[in-house]
């Protein structure tokens, strides 16, 4: 993806938060919950959630990140799929109550981010996990101050790059833009000041 920043511009960057992530996840659930594959999740019990999670593991559709999240949620010693399945089979179903409460609307914001991520896995939320969601949501809104075809920077960044590195680079460019704007405003102010001073002296 290429970000082109005009020479004279202001940038407003919005870093999406976990609340935005939860809100987007809820919207996704509302859109897909009536699909056949999610029938079990319409009003699930902890036992049903456990079985559904196990079925996902047996489907081999889980990504490496999904497996990492599940291993943390289940407190597995290893992150391999066999260990996750083994832990799932013996874990107490009470572990799934926070997920049940969220799906049933009993709680709006789970205390654990891992719980949120597991829910995202259950509903196959495309923008999971939070890091991916935030990297998609680094937004730049540009307002042109002058109609000049000059650019201070062209930033190319890859979705696979670390989010913090992307944000730091965007912040660096933002600082450059603001510094140049302040210089321009200072020059304009000085010019206007001299203009009006000369005018008064001529009187």
């Amino acid at each position: 993806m290429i970000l082109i920043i005009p020479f004279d511009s202001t940038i407003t960057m919005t870093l999406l938060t976990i609340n935005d992530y939860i809100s987007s996840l809820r919207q996704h659930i509302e859109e897909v919950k009536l699909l056949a594959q999610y029938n079990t999740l319409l009003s699930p019990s902890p036992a049903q959630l456990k079985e559904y999670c196990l079925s996902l593991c047996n489907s081999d559709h889980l990504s490496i990140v999904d497996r990492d999240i599940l291993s943390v949620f289940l407190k597995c010693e290893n992150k391999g799929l066999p260990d996750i399945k083994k832990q799932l089979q013996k874990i107490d179903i009470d572990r799934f109550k926070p997920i049940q409460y969220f799906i049933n609307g009993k709680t709006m914001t789970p205390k654990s981010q891992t719980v949120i991520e597991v829910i995202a896995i259950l509903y196959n939320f495309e923008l999971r996990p939070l890091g991916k969601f935030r990297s998609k949501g680094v937004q730049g809104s540009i307002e042109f101050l002058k109609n000049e075809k000059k650019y201070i920077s062209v930033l190319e960044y890859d979705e696979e790059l670390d989010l913090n590195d992307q944000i730091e680079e965007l912040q660096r460019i933002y600082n450059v833009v603001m510094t140049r704007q302040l210089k321009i405003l200072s020059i304009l102010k000085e010019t206007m000041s001299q203009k009006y001073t000369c005018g008064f002296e001529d009187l």
Side-chain angles (χ1 to χ4, degrees):
M1 183 175 183
I2 299 178
L3 176 66
I4 302 177
I5 301 181
F7 178 78
D8 296 321
S9 63
T10 57
I11 299 178
T12 302
M13 292 192 301
T14 302
L15 181 60
L16 299 180
T17 67
I18 191 168
N19 289 330
D20 296 316
Y21 184 55
I22 293 173
S23 178
S24 184
L25 174 57
R26 280 195 175 280
Q27 182 178 349
H28 170 74
I29 292 173
E30 285 299 312
E31 293 172 354
V32 304
K33 67 181 183 180
L34 296 181
L35 297 178
Q37 62 263 42
Y38 301 119
N39 283 345
T40 304
L41 302 179
L42 285 175
S43 184
S45 66
Q48 287 176 316
L49 289 170
K50 177 179 176 178
E51 288 301 315
Y52 188 83
C53 195
L54 187 57
S55 69
L56 288 180
C57 292
N58 290 329
S59 69
D60 293 329
H61 290 160
L62 297 176
S63 68
I64 295 176
V65 175
D66 291 339
R67 296 175 190 178
D68 289 346
I69 291 169
L70 286 174
S71 66
V72 172
F73 175 70
L74 299 170
K75 298 183 178 180
C76 299
E77 294 183 2
N78 300 302
K79 298 179 180 180
L81 197 53
D83 293 291
I84 293 174
K85 291 179 181 179
K86 183 178 179 180
Q87 185 70 359
L88 259 174
Q89 290 170 345
K90 66 180 183 180
I91 198 169
D92 193 306
I93 60 173
D94 284 350
R95 180 66 59 84
F96 292 88
K97 281 188 175 181
I99 297 175
Q100 179 195 34
Y101 294 159
F102 180 86
I103 293 174
N104 293 343
K106 188 174 182 179
T107 59
M108 298 302 294
T109 306
K111 295 180 180 179
S112 169
Q113 182 182 331
T114 304
V115 168
I116 299 170
E117 300 295 7
V118 172
I119 296 169
I121 292 172
L122 297 181
Y123 284 95
N124 195 27
F125 183 45
E126 183 180 353
L127 293 179
R128 68 181 188 274
L130 176 62
K132 180 178 180 180
F133 177 79
R134 292 177 68 183
S135 69
K136 292 282 187 180
V138 176
Q139 302 169 344
S141 121
I142 299 176
E143 298 176 4
F144 295 96
L145 296 179
K146 290 184 178 180
N147 186 23
E148 295 185 27
K149 294 182 179 180
K150 297 180 181 179
Y151 301 92
I152 64 164
S153 180
V154 176
L155 171 66
E156 296 187 21
Y157 66 94
D158 193 303
E159 292 179 3
E160 299 299 323
L161 292 179
D162 182 75
L163 176 62
N164 291 329
D165 291 340
Q166 293 183 33
I167 294 173
E168 287 178 5
E169 183 65 11
L170 287 171
Q171 185 63 54
R172 182 189 67 78
I173 292 175
Y174 173 79
N175 291 337
V176 171
V177 172
M178 292 304 297
T179 299
R180 294 200 179 197
Q181 284 181 23
L182 289 174
K183 287 182 179 179
I184 292 171
L185 291 174
S186 178
I187 293 172
L188 287 174
K189 184 178 180 180
E190 182 178 352
T191 301
M192 294 300 292
S193 177
Q194 291 176 354
K195 177 180 178 180
Y196 285 118
T197 299
C198 291
F200 287 131
E201 289 176 349
D202 290 340
L203 292 174

